[in-house]
Amino acid sequence: MLKPALIRSTLLLGLLLPALAPATELYRYVDDQGVTVLSRQGVPPELIGKGYEVLNEQGRVIQVVPPAPSAEEMQRLLMEKARAGSDKQLLRLYSSPADVDRARERKLVELDGLIGVAQGNLQSARTQQANLQSQAADYERAGRAVPQQLLSQIDSQKDEQRRLQKEIDRYKELREQAEVSFAADRARLGELLDRQR
């Protein structure tokens, strides 16, 4: 015969076991054929992106996992995030449109200085080439062959002029890009400051 304490312990354990057991969850999702499925096993990996619901043992929805965004939505979200980061950076750099104007002027003066230096170097290279060609002409007028070293120096000056012209063109392009970029920054900053008012 069982002792009363053992009977009470057995009854208590019988009552507590269901409460201690983990709650059973059901997963509701739509399969590839468009059929709604209830499963205790979970959602197949290839269907997780479509979204699903988690239900408790009474059939109540306790969690909704939305579908993954489409490629277009993902692109839009990434663009919005990038725009927000850009706006934050813009507000950190400039407190007013006048700040943008001052930064623009500094950048344009810097680029104009670089263009001026490169143009001066180009003019110097052209002058050196003209002097070297004059020397070569003196050799030819005297009926002598132009030394190879002199011809190499002329070619070197021509190469230097091409390099300098590319550099000038690049600086001018950077200047144009800076004009456009600062104009866009000024306009966007104006919009952001208007929203804050």
Side-chain angles (χ1 to χ4, degrees):
M1 186 156 167
L2 292 173
K3 294 183 180 178
L6 185 58
I7 294 173
R8 278 193 302 265
S9 297
T10 305
L11 284 174
L12 185 60
L13 187 60
L15 291 172
L16 287 177
L17 272 180
L20 295 175
T24 305
E25 293 179 340
L26 291 172
Y27 298 88
R28 181 167 51 197
Y29 61 93
V30 178
D31 68 10
D32 289 334
Q33 285 75 41
V35 177
T36 300
V37 177
L38 278 175
S39 171
R40 293 185 193 284
Q41 311 302 318
V43 181
E46 65 274 10
L47 298 176
I48 288 176
K50 292 182 174 183
Y52 59 92
E53 296 174 332
V54 181
L55 294 85
N56 64 15
E57 54 194 21
Q58 285 81 35
R60 291 192 187 101
V61 175
I62 57 173
Q63 182 183 3
V64 175
V65 177
S70 67
E72 294 82 21
E73 290 171 332
M74 185 59 79
Q75 181 70 21
R76 182 183 54 77
L77 291 171
L78 289 173
M79 286 174 64
E80 286 175 3
K81 185 176 181 182
R83 182 61 175 235
S86 173
D87 289 349
K88 188 175 179 182
Q89 177 71 11
L90 196 60
L91 288 168
R92 199 174 317 132
L93 285 174
Y94 309 112
S95 59
S96 72
D99 290 345
V100 179
D101 294 340
R102 283 190 289 276
R104 175 186 164 276
E105 285 308 311
R106 281 192 305 270
K107 185 65 175 177
L108 295 182
V109 165
E110 174 190 337
L111 289 168
D112 287 343
L114 292 170
I115 291 169
V117 168
Q119 286 174 334
N121 290 341
L122 178 60
Q123 186 55 46
S124 174
R126 286 178 179 155
T127 301
Q128 286 181 339
Q129 179 188 342
N131 291 339
L132 292 170
Q133 285 177 325
S134 175
Q135 291 175 26
D138 289 344
Y139 276 101
E140 289 175 344
R141 278 192 291 277
R144 296 182 304 188
V146 179
Q148 186 59 44
Q149 180 183 354
L150 188 56
L151 294 172
S152 295
Q153 288 175 329
I154 292 170
D155 287 341
S156 176
Q157 288 303 315
K158 288 178 182 177
D159 290 343
E160 178 67 1
Q161 288 173 53
R162 281 191 288 272
R163 185 190 70 76
L164 287 166
Q165 188 58 57
K166 283 183 184 176
E167 195 172 282
I168 290 167
D169 293 341
R170 184 172 60 86
Y171 288 141
K172 286 181 177 179
E173 186 178 328
L174 287 173
R175 192 182 195 287
E176 289 173 15
Q177 290 172 357
E179 290 268 18
V180 170
S181 176
F182 280 108
D185 284 353
R186 190 179 201 286
R188 183 65 182 162
L189 181 66
E191 291 173 18
L192 294 171
L193 293 175
D194 285 346
R195 277 192 219 155
Q196 289 180 351
R197 290 181 191 141

mmCIF file with all atom_site columns, all heavy atoms in Angstrom, residues 96-116:
data_model
loop_
_atom_site.group_PDB
_atom_site.id
_atom_site.type_symbol
_atom_site.label_atom_id
_atom_site.label_alt_id
_atom_site.label_comp_id
_atom_site.label_asym_id
_atom_site.label_entity_id
_atom_site.label_seq_id
_atom_site.pdbx_PDB_ins_code
_atom_site.Cartn_x
_atom_site.Cartn_y
_atom_site.Cartn_z
_atom_site.occupancy
_atom_site.B_iso_or_equiv
_atom_site.pdbx_formal_charge
_atom_site.auth_seq_id
_atom_site.auth_comp_id
_atom_site.auth_asym_id
_atom_site.auth_atom_id
_atom_site.pdbx_PDB_model_num
ATOM 1   N N   . SER A 1 96  ? 24.502 76.127 -42.253 1.00 0.00 ? 96  SER A N   1
ATOM 2   C CA  . SER A 1 96  ? 23.698 77.056 -43.043 1.00 0.00 ? 96  SER A CA  1
ATOM 3   C C   . SER A 1 96  ? 24.168 76.993 -44.498 1.00 0.00 ? 96  SER A C   1
ATOM 4   O O   . SER A 1 96  ? 25.292 76.554 -44.777 1.00 0.00 ? 96  SER A O   1
ATOM 5   C CB  . SER A 1 96  ? 23.856 78.478 -42.517 1.00 0.00 ? 96  SER A CB  1
ATOM 6   O OG  . SER A 1 96  ? 25.138 78.971 -42.843 1.00 0.00 ? 96  SER A OG  1
ATOM 7   N N   . PRO A 1 97  ? 23.333 77.474 -45.429 1.00 0.00 ? 97  PRO A N   1
ATOM 8   C CA  . PRO A 1 97  ? 23.759 77.517 -46.834 1.00 0.00 ? 97  PRO A CA  1
ATOM 9   C C   . PRO A 1 97  ? 25.022 78.368 -47.035 1.00 0.00 ? 97  PRO A C   1
ATOM 10  O O   . PRO A 1 97  ? 25.819 78.082 -47.927 1.00 0.00 ? 97  PRO A O   1
ATOM 11  C CB  . PRO A 1 97  ? 22.554 78.133 -47.552 1.00 0.00 ? 97  PRO A CB  1
ATOM 12  C CG  . PRO A 1 97  ? 21.381 77.728 -46.704 1.00 0.00 ? 97  PRO A CG  1
ATOM 13  C CD  . PRO A 1 97  ? 21.901 77.787 -45.290 1.00 0.00 ? 97  PRO A CD  1
ATOM 14  N N   . ALA A 1 98  ? 25.219 79.367 -46.193 1.00 0.00 ? 98  ALA A N   1
ATOM 15  C CA  . ALA A 1 98  ? 26.431 80.194 -46.300 1.00 0.00 ? 98  ALA A CA  1
ATOM 16  C C   . ALA A 1 98  ? 27.685 79.355 -46.047 1.00 0.00 ? 98  ALA A C   1
ATOM 17  O O   . ALA A 1 98  ? 28.733 79.596 -46.654 1.00 0.00 ? 98  ALA A O   1
ATOM 18  C CB  . ALA A 1 98  ? 26.356 81.360 -45.321 1.00 0.00 ? 98  ALA A CB  1
ATOM 19  N N   . ASP A 1 99  ? 27.587 78.356 -45.144 1.00 0.00 ? 99  ASP A N   1
ATOM 20  C CA  . ASP A 1 99  ? 28.724 77.458 -44.903 1.00 0.00 ? 99  ASP A CA  1
ATOM 21  C C   . ASP A 1 99  ? 29.062 76.674 -46.161 1.00 0.00 ? 99  ASP A C   1
ATOM 22  O O   . ASP A 1 99  ? 30.240 76.456 -46.476 1.00 0.00 ? 99  ASP A O   1
ATOM 23  C CB  . ASP A 1 99  ? 28.399 76.472 -43.770 1.00 0.00 ? 99  ASP A CB  1
ATOM 24  C CG  . ASP A 1 99  ? 28.319 77.131 -42.412 1.00 0.00 ? 99  ASP A CG  1
ATOM 25  O OD1 . ASP A 1 99  ? 28.790 78.279 -42.275 1.00 0.00 ? 99  ASP A OD1 1
ATOM 26  O OD2 . ASP A 1 99  ? 27.776 76.496 -41.482 1.00 0.00 ? 99  ASP A OD2 1
ATOM 27  N N   . VAL A 1 100 ? 28.036 76.240 -46.882 1.00 0.00 ? 100 VAL A N   1
ATOM 28  C CA  . VAL A 1 100 ? 28.254 75.508 -48.137 1.00 0.00 ? 100 VAL A CA  1
ATOM 29  C C   . VAL A 1 100 ? 28.943 76.421 -49.139 1.00 0.00 ? 100 VAL A C   1
ATOM 30  O O   . VAL A 1 100 ? 29.887 76.005 -49.822 1.00 0.00 ? 100 VAL A O   1
ATOM 31  C CB  . VAL A 1 100 ? 26.913 74.981 -48.711 1.00 0.00 ? 100 VAL A CB  1
ATOM 32  C CG1 . VAL A 1 100 ? 27.147 74.245 -50.030 1.00 0.00 ? 100 VAL A CG1 1
ATOM 33  C CG2 . VAL A 1 100 ? 26.209 74.074 -47.715 1.00 0.00 ? 100 VAL A CG2 1
ATOM 34  N N   . ASP A 1 101 ? 28.500 77.671 -49.220 1.00 0.00 ? 101 ASP A N   1
ATOM 35  C CA  . ASP A 1 101 ? 29.097 78.624 -50.166 1.00 0.00 ? 101 ASP A CA  1
ATOM 36  C C   . ASP A 1 101 ? 30.576 78.849 -49.855 1.00 0.00 ? 101 ASP A C   1
ATOM 37  O O   . ASP A 1 101 ? 31.411 78.903 -50.766 1.00 0.00 ? 101 ASP A O   1
ATOM 38  C CB  . ASP A 1 101 ? 28.342 79.953 -50.134 1.00 0.00 ? 101 ASP A CB  1
ATOM 39  C CG  . ASP A 1 101 ? 26.915 79.824 -50.661 1.00 0.00 ? 101 ASP A CG  1
ATOM 40  O OD1 . ASP A 1 101 ? 26.628 78.845 -51.382 1.00 0.00 ? 101 ASP A OD1 1
ATOM 41  O OD2 . ASP A 1 101 ? 26.085 80.699 -50.326 1.00 0.00 ? 101 ASP A OD2 1
ATOM 42  N N   . ARG A 1 102 ? 30.912 78.962 -48.571 1.00 0.00 ? 102 ARG A N   1
ATOM 43  C CA  . ARG A 1 102 ? 32.319 79.176 -48.187 1.00 0.00 ? 102 ARG A CA  1
ATOM 44  C C   . ARG A 1 102 ? 33.168 77.946 -48.530 1.00 0.00 ? 102 ARG A C   1
ATOM 45  O O   . ARG A 1 102 ? 34.287 78.076 -49.045 1.00 0.00 ? 102 ARG A O   1
ATOM 46  C CB  . ARG A 1 102 ? 32.421 79.508 -46.697 1.00 0.00 ? 102 ARG A CB  1
ATOM 47  C CG  . ARG A 1 102 ? 32.023 80.938 -46.364 1.00 0.00 ? 102 ARG A CG  1
ATOM 48  C CD  . ARG A 1 102 ? 32.368 81.309 -44.933 1.00 0.00 ? 102 ARG A CD  1
ATOM 49  N NE  . ARG A 1 102 ? 31.525 80.633 -43.964 1.00 0.00 ? 102 ARG A NE  1
ATOM 50  C CZ  . ARG A 1 102 ? 30.317 81.043 -43.579 1.00 0.00 ? 102 ARG A CZ  1
ATOM 51  N NH1 . ARG A 1 102 ? 29.808 82.153 -44.094 1.00 0.00 ? 102 ARG A NH1 1
ATOM 52  N NH2 . ARG A 1 102 ? 29.621 80.371 -42.695 1.00 0.00 ? 102 ARG A NH2 1
ATOM 53  N N   . ALA A 1 103 ? 32.640 76.770 -48.259 1.00 0.00 ? 103 ALA A N   1
ATOM 54  C CA  . ALA A 1 103 ? 33.373 75.534 -48.580 1.00 0.00 ? 103 ALA A CA  1
ATOM 55  C C   . ALA A 1 103 ? 33.562 75.413 -50.095 1.00 0.00 ? 103 ALA A C   1
ATOM 56  O O   . ALA A 1 103 ? 34.633 75.012 -50.570 1.00 0.00 ? 103 ALA A O   1
ATOM 57  C CB  . ALA A 1 103 ? 32.621 74.320 -48.034 1.00 0.00 ? 103 ALA A CB  1
ATOM 58  N N   . ARG A 1 104 ? 32.527 75.779 -50.851 1.00 0.00 ? 104 ARG A N   1
ATOM 59  C CA  . ARG A 1 104 ? 32.604 75.757 -52.316 1.00 0.00 ? 104 ARG A CA  1
ATOM 60  C C   . ARG A 1 104 ? 33.706 76.684 -52.796 1.00 0.00 ? 104 ARG A C   1
ATOM 61  O O   . ARG A 1 104 ? 34.528 76.305 -53.647 1.00 0.00 ? 104 ARG A O   1
ATOM 62  C CB  . ARG A 1 104 ? 31.252 76.174 -52.898 1.00 0.00 ? 104 ARG A CB  1
ATOM 63  C CG  . ARG A 1 104 ? 31.226 76.309 -54.389 1.00 0.00 ? 104 ARG A CG  1
ATOM 64  C CD  . ARG A 1 104 ? 29.870 76.887 -54.843 1.00 0.00 ? 104 ARG A CD  1
ATOM 65  N NE  . ARG A 1 104 ? 29.957 77.376 -56.188 1.00 0.00 ? 104 ARG A NE  1
ATOM 66  C CZ  . ARG A 1 104 ? 30.389 78.571 -56.554 1.00 0.00 ? 104 ARG A CZ  1
ATOM 67  N NH1 . ARG A 1 104 ? 30.780 79.443 -55.651 1.00 0.00 ? 104 ARG A NH1 1
ATOM 68  N NH2 . ARG A 1 104 ? 30.445 78.925 -57.817 1.00 0.00 ? 104 ARG A NH2 1
ATOM 69  N N   . GLU A 1 105 ? 33.741 77.891 -52.274 1.00 0.00 ? 105 GLU A N   1
ATOM 70  C CA  . GLU A 1 105 ? 34.762 78.859 -52.698 1.00 0.00 ? 105 GLU A CA  1
ATOM 71  C C   . GLU A 1 105 ? 36.163 78.356 -52.387 1.00 0.00 ? 105 GLU A C   1
ATOM 72  O O   . GLU A 1 105 ? 37.077 78.491 -53.202 1.00 0.00 ? 105 GLU A O   1
ATOM 73  C CB  . GLU A 1 105 ? 34.518 80.224 -52.043 1.00 0.00 ? 105 GLU A CB  1
ATOM 74  C CG  . GLU A 1 105 ? 33.366 80.990 -52.639 1.00 0.00 ? 105 GLU A CG  1
ATOM 75  C CD  . GLU A 1 105 ? 33.460 81.128 -54.159 1.00 0.00 ? 105 GLU A CD  1
ATOM 76  O OE1 . GLU A 1 105 ? 34.530 81.521 -54.663 1.00 0.00 ? 105 GLU A OE1 1
ATOM 77  O OE2 . GLU A 1 105 ? 32.457 80.828 -54.839 1.00 0.00 ? 105 GLU A OE2 1
ATOM 78  N N   . ARG A 1 106 ? 36.337 77.771 -51.187 1.00 0.00 ? 106 ARG A N   1
ATOM 79  C CA  . ARG A 1 106 ? 37.664 77.233 -50.825 1.00 0.00 ? 106 ARG A CA  1
ATOM 80  C C   . ARG A 1 106 ? 38.094 76.145 -51.810 1.00 0.00 ? 106 ARG A C   1
ATOM 81  O O   . ARG A 1 106 ? 39.237 76.110 -52.263 1.00 0.00 ? 106 ARG A O   1
ATOM 82  C CB  . ARG A 1 106 ? 37.647 76.682 -49.398 1.00 0.00 ? 106 ARG A CB  1
ATOM 83  C CG  . ARG A 1 106 ? 37.741 77.721 -48.318 1.00 0.00 ? 106 ARG A CG  1
ATOM 84  C CD  . ARG A 1 106 ? 38.019 77.109 -46.955 1.00 0.00 ? 106 ARG A CD  1
ATOM 85  N NE  . ARG A 1 106 ? 37.061 76.107 -46.567 1.00 0.00 ? 106 ARG A NE  1
ATOM 86  C CZ  . ARG A 1 106 ? 35.924 76.336 -45.892 1.00 0.00 ? 106 ARG A CZ  1
ATOM 87  N NH1 . ARG A 1 106 ? 35.602 77.559 -45.531 1.00 0.00 ? 106 ARG A NH1 1
ATOM 88  N NH2 . ARG A 1 106 ? 35.112 75.347 -45.569 1.00 0.00 ? 106 ARG A NH2 1
ATOM 89  N N   . LYS A 1 107 ? 37.168 75.246 -52.127 1.00 0.00 ? 107 LYS A N   1
ATOM 90  C CA  . LYS A 1 107 ? 37.490 74.138 -53.029 1.00 0.00 ? 107 LYS A CA  1
ATOM 91  C C   . LYS A 1 107 ? 37.811 74.648 -54.430 1.00 0.00 ? 107 LYS A C   1
ATOM 92  O O   . LYS A 1 107 ? 38.767 74.185 -55.068 1.00 0.00 ? 107 LYS A O   1
ATOM 93  C CB  . LYS A 1 107 ? 36.313 73.151 -53.079 1.00 0.00 ? 107 LYS A CB  1
ATOM 94  C CG  . LYS A 1 107 ? 36.587 71.908 -53.878 1.00 0.00 ? 107 LYS A CG  1
ATOM 95  C CD  . LYS A 1 107 ? 37.680 71.100 -53.216 1.00 0.00 ? 107 LYS A CD  1
ATOM 96  C CE  . LYS A 1 107 ? 37.900 69.777 -53.919 1.00 0.00 ? 107 LYS A CE  1
ATOM 97  N NZ  . LYS A 1 107 ? 39.013 69.018 -53.325 1.00 0.00 ? 107 LYS A NZ  1
ATOM 98  N N   . LEU A 1 108 ? 37.027 75.609 -54.919 1.00 0.00 ? 108 LEU A N   1
ATOM 99  C CA  . LEU A 1 108 ? 37.266 76.137 -56.265 1.00 0.00 ? 108 LEU A CA  1
ATOM 100 C C   . LEU A 1 108 ? 38.589 76.894 -56.340 1.00 0.00 ? 108 LEU A C   1
ATOM 101 O O   . LEU A 1 108 ? 39.321 76.789 -57.333 1.00 0.00 ? 108 LEU A O   1
ATOM 102 C CB  . LEU A 1 108 ? 36.105 77.027 -56.702 1.00 0.00 ? 108 LEU A CB  1
ATOM 103 C CG  . LEU A 1 108 ? 34.755 76.314 -56.874 1.00 0.00 ? 108 LEU A CG  1
ATOM 104 C CD1 . LEU A 1 108 ? 33.693 77.290 -57.347 1.00 0.00 ? 108 LEU A CD1 1
ATOM 105 C CD2 . LEU A 1 108 ? 34.855 75.121 -57.802 1.00 0.00 ? 108 LEU A CD2 1
ATOM 106 N N   . VAL A 1 109 ? 38.934 77.636 -55.280 1.00 0.00 ? 109 VAL A N   1
ATOM 107 C CA  . VAL A 1 109 ? 40.224 78.344 -55.240 1.00 0.00 ? 109 VAL A CA  1
ATOM 108 C C   . VAL A 1 109 ? 41.365 77.322 -55.262 1.00 0.00 ? 109 VAL A C   1
ATOM 109 O O   . VAL A 1 109 ? 42.364 77.495 -55.974 1.00 0.00 ? 109 VAL A O   1
ATOM 110 C CB  . VAL A 1 109 ? 40.307 79.260 -53.995 1.00 0.00 ? 109 VAL A CB  1
ATOM 111 C CG1 . VAL A 1 109 ? 41.732 79.703 -53.730 1.00 0.00 ? 109 VAL A CG1 1
ATOM 112 C CG2 . VAL A 1 109 ? 39.389 80.460 -54.165 1.00 0.00 ? 109 VAL A CG2 1
ATOM 113 N N   . GLU A 1 110 ? 41.199 76.239 -54.494 1.00 0.00 ? 110 GLU A N   1
ATOM 114 C CA  . GLU A 1 110 ? 42.226 75.183 -54.468 1.00 0.00 ? 110 GLU A CA  1
ATOM 115 C C   . GLU A 1 110 ? 42.404 74.576 -55.865 1.00 0.00 ? 110 GLU A C   1
ATOM 116 O O   . GLU A 1 110 ? 43.537 74.430 -56.354 1.00 0.00 ? 110 GLU A O   1
ATOM 117 C CB  . GLU A 1 110 ? 41.812 74.096 -53.478 1.00 0.00 ? 110 GLU A CB  1
ATOM 118 C CG  . GLU A 1 110 ? 42.722 72.890 -53.468 1.00 0.00 ? 110 GLU A CG  1
ATOM 119 C CD  . GLU A 1 110 ? 42.150 71.730 -52.651 1.00 0.00 ? 110 GLU A CD  1
ATOM 120 O OE1 . GLU A 1 110 ? 41.300 71.956 -51.766 1.00 0.00 ? 110 GLU A OE1 1
ATOM 121 O OE2 . GLU A 1 110 ? 42.547 70.591 -52.930 1.00 0.00 ? 110 GLU A OE2 1
ATOM 122 N N   . LEU A 1 111 ? 41.296 74.240 -56.532 1.00 0.00 ? 111 LEU A N   1
ATOM 123 C CA  . LEU A 1 111 ? 41.383 73.632 -57.863 1.00 0.00 ? 111 LEU A CA  1
ATOM 124 C C   . LEU A 1 111 ? 41.918 74.630 -58.893 1.00 0.00 ? 111 LEU A C   1
ATOM 125 O O   . LEU A 1 111 ? 42.708 74.258 -59.764 1.00 0.00 ? 111 LEU A O   1
ATOM 126 C CB  . LEU A 1 111 ? 40.009 73.096 -58.290 1.00 0.00 ? 111 LEU A CB  1
ATOM 127 C CG  . LEU A 1 111 ? 39.549 71.845 -57.520 1.00 0.00 ? 111 LEU A CG  1
ATOM 128 C CD1 . LEU A 1 111 ? 38.089 71.551 -57.795 1.00 0.00 ? 111 LEU A CD1 1
ATOM 129 C CD2 . LEU A 1 111 ? 40.420 70.646 -57.868 1.00 0.00 ? 111 LEU A CD2 1
ATOM 130 N N   . ASP A 1 112 ? 41.500 75.883 -58.777 1.00 0.00 ? 112 ASP A N   1
ATOM 131 C CA  . ASP A 1 112 ? 42.025 76.905 -59.696 1.00 0.00 ? 112 ASP A CA  1
ATOM 132 C C   . ASP A 1 112 ? 43.541 77.049 -59.528 1.00 0.00 ? 112 ASP A C   1
ATOM 133 O O   . ASP A 1 112 ? 44.270 77.238 -60.510 1.00 0.00 ? 112 ASP A O   1
ATOM 134 C CB  . ASP A 1 112 ? 41.335 78.248 -59.462 1.00 0.00 ? 112 ASP A CB  1
ATOM 135 C CG  . ASP A 1 112 ? 39.896 78.273 -59.982 1.00 0.00 ? 112 ASP A CG  1
ATOM 136 O OD1 . ASP A 1 112 ? 39.537 77.392 -60.799 1.00 0.00 ? 112 ASP A OD1 1
ATOM 137 O OD2 . ASP A 1 112 ? 39.133 79.166 -59.557 1.00 0.00 ? 112 ASP A OD2 1
ATOM 138 N N   . GLY A 1 113 ? 44.018 76.954 -58.284 1.00 0.00 ? 113 GLY A N   1
ATOM 139 C CA  . GLY A 1 113 ? 45.454 77.010 -58.025 1.00 0.00 ? 113 GLY A CA  1
ATOM 140 C C   . GLY A 1 113 ? 46.188 75.852 -58.684 1.00 0.00 ? 113 GLY A C   1
ATOM 141 O O   . GLY A 1 113 ? 47.236 76.035 -59.316 1.00 0.00 ? 113 GLY A O   1
ATOM 142 N N   . LEU A 1 114 ? 45.613 74.653 -58.575 1.00 0.00 ? 114 LEU A N   1
ATOM 143 C CA  . LEU A 1 114 ? 46.229 73.476 -59.194 1.00 0.00 ? 114 LEU A CA  1
ATOM 144 C C   . LEU A 1 114 ? 46.232 73.599 -60.721 1.00 0.00 ? 114 LEU A C   1
ATOM 145 O O   . LEU A 1 114 ? 47.221 73.249 -61.379 1.00 0.00 ? 114 LEU A O   1
ATOM 146 C CB  . LEU A 1 114 ? 45.487 72.209 -58.768 1.00 0.00 ? 114 LEU A CB  1
ATOM 147 C CG  . LEU A 1 114 ? 45.629 71.824 -57.292 1.00 0.00 ? 114 LEU A CG  1
ATOM 148 C CD1 . LEU A 1 114 ? 44.658 70.703 -56.923 1.00 0.00 ? 114 LEU A CD1 1
ATOM 149 C CD2 . LEU A 1 114 ? 47.061 71.416 -56.974 1.00 0.00 ? 114 LEU A CD2 1
ATOM 150 N N   . ILE A 1 115 ? 45.140 74.116 -61.264 1.00 0.00 ? 115 ILE A N   1
ATOM 151 C CA  . ILE A 1 115 ? 45.070 74.321 -62.717 1.00 0.00 ? 115 ILE A CA  1
ATOM 152 C C   . ILE A 1 115 ? 46.131 75.340 -63.143 1.00 0.00 ? 115 ILE A C   1
ATOM 153 O O   . ILE A 1 115 ? 46.841 75.139 -64.138 1.00 0.00 ? 115 ILE A O   1
ATOM 154 C CB  . ILE A 1 115 ? 43.655 74.791 -63.136 1.00 0.00 ? 115 ILE A CB  1
ATOM 155 C CG1 . ILE A 1 115 ? 42.646 73.658 -62.955 1.00 0.00 ? 115 ILE A CG1 1
ATOM 156 C CG2 . ILE A 1 115 ? 43.647 75.287 -64.584 1.00 0.00 ? 115 ILE A CG2 1
ATOM 157 C CD1 . ILE A 1 115 ? 41.188 74.076 -63.084 1.00 0.00 ? 115 ILE A CD1 1
ATOM 158 N N   . GLY A 1 116 ? 46.263 76.424 -62.368 1.00 0.00 ? 116 GLY A N   1
ATOM 159 C CA  . GLY A 1 116 ? 47.249 77.451 -62.692 1.00 0.00 ? 116 GLY A CA  1
ATOM 160 C C   . GLY A 1 116 ? 48.670 76.911 -62.686 1.00 0.00 ? 116 GLY A C   1
ATOM 161 O O   . GLY A 1 116 ? 49.466 77.208 -63.597 1.00 0.00 ? 116 GLY A O   1
#
